[in-house]
Amino acid sequence: MTTVTSTPPSPSPVAKFENAAEWWHALGDVPLERVVMDPPPGTATEQDLLVFVERDKRLVELIDGTLVEKPVGYEESFIALLLATALNNFVRPRTLGFVAGADATLHMRSGRVRLPDVSFVSIDDVPGRQRPKEPIPLVPPTIAAEVISQTNTSMEMRQKTKEYFESGSKLVWLIYPKTRTIAVFDRPAEETARLLTENDVLDGGDALPGFTLRVAELFPDVR
């Protein structure tokens, strides 16, 4: 008689949690309506994410085998586009790198896949100084910007900020349309954030020297 042996399947990423509350907290305490159930939580892959983003035009992030939808809205998109335009107008003539929008999938060192609302990748941060061609490149956003929506949670944004810096980001901007302010992080510790108001000027710091933008220009009609 022949004995057939096989390698047991790897446990689902959700199996490491003792209960659903721990798993939900690891997602950033996001509203449950943003958690995708097909494929089932813990089984989703990068290919599943690409199907959602490329084919179905649904913005989702991959968090430990679970797809989580990004909040979308006209106001957030409007602000993100203003910022991306200002960055592109500064970056492209100087060949400083690459600016992308909210459907740009970036692989974090944690294994998660994030989609910043706006990202700038310095030409010095990519191999061969060439624009990444992979669907989900393992390239840190030198600057990551998130326009905060109503269903974004503080835990979620803390996790994102932490992952961006762990992956190599140099600057993170959290833009709050409701208060017309921007929280600027230039190092991982949350308490180092600087809060800019409409009377201030946003700058690229060491991540993008020379770039400046009046905060008020991101909120021309948003009230």
Side-chain angles (χ1 to χ4, degrees):
M1 183 175 73
T2 303
T3 301
V4 178
T5 59
S6 61
T7 303
S10 300
S12 162
V14 301
K16 64 183 179 181
F17 303 108
E18 293 186 1
N19 53 60
E22 288 186 2
W23 163 75
W24 178 59
H25 190 61
L27 296 181
D29 297 341
V30 299
L32 291 177
E33 59 265 26
R34 287 176 50 200
V35 179
V36 176
M37 299 305 291
D38 184 17
T43 69
T45 65
E46 293 182 4
Q47 187 57 45
D48 293 321
L49 179 145
L50 290 174
V51 168
F52 272 73
V53 174
E54 295 180 357
R55 188 193 69 186
D56 300 339
K57 307 306 178 185
R58 292 175 61 186
L59 300 184
V60 295
E61 297 181 315
L62 182 62
I63 305 174
D64 305 335
T66 297
L67 295 179
V68 177
E69 285 196 287
K70 279 178 60 73
V72 295
Y74 183 88
E75 182 175 296
E76 293 84 356
S77 176
F78 176 76
I79 293 171
L81 186 57
L82 288 177
L83 176 60
T85 299
L87 285 169
N88 247 332
N89 288 342
F90 182 83
V91 168
R92 293 199 65 187
R94 298 167 176 80
T95 319
L96 298 175
F98 314 99
V99 178
D103 53 355
T105 50
L106 295 175
H107 205 296
M108 302 289 101
R109 288 181 184 170
S110 63
R112 296 178 172 186
V113 178
R114 295 295 191 180
L115 286 70
D117 289 320
V118 180
S119 61
F120 161 69
V121 177
S122 170
I123 199 168
D124 296 323
D125 289 340
V126 292
R129 298 169 63 85
Q130 298 293 320
R131 179 169 54 85
K133 300 299 194 296
E134 304 91 338
I136 309 178
L138 182 57
V139 173
T142 311
I143 299 177
E146 297 278 0
V147 183
I148 308 304
S149 301
Q150 185 174 354
T151 62
N152 282 128
T153 68
S154 57
M155 173 62 73
E156 175 185 20
M157 302 321 297
R158 283 197 297 270
Q159 288 184 1
K160 284 192 176 188
T161 300
K162 181 174 182 288
E163 288 174 31
Y164 290 143
F165 280 112
E166 288 178 345
S167 299
S169 295
K170 297 179 176 65
L171 200 56
V172 176
W173 297 330
L174 302 186
I175 303 170
Y176 294 87
K178 187 174 182 179
T179 58
R180 302 165 74 88
T181 58
I182 302 176
V184 176
F185 297 81
D186 54 14
R187 55 179 59 89
E190 183 187 4
E191 60 270 14
T192 63
R194 293 182 291 115
L195 191 66
L196 304 182
T197 70
E198 290 181 276
N199 299 321
D200 297 315
V201 174
L202 180 69
D203 67 76
D206 294 336
L208 188 57
F211 172 79
T212 59
L213 178 67
R214 290 174 52 245
V215 173
E217 292 185 36
L218 292 179
F219 310 108
D221 303 312
V222 183
R223 288 288 182 185

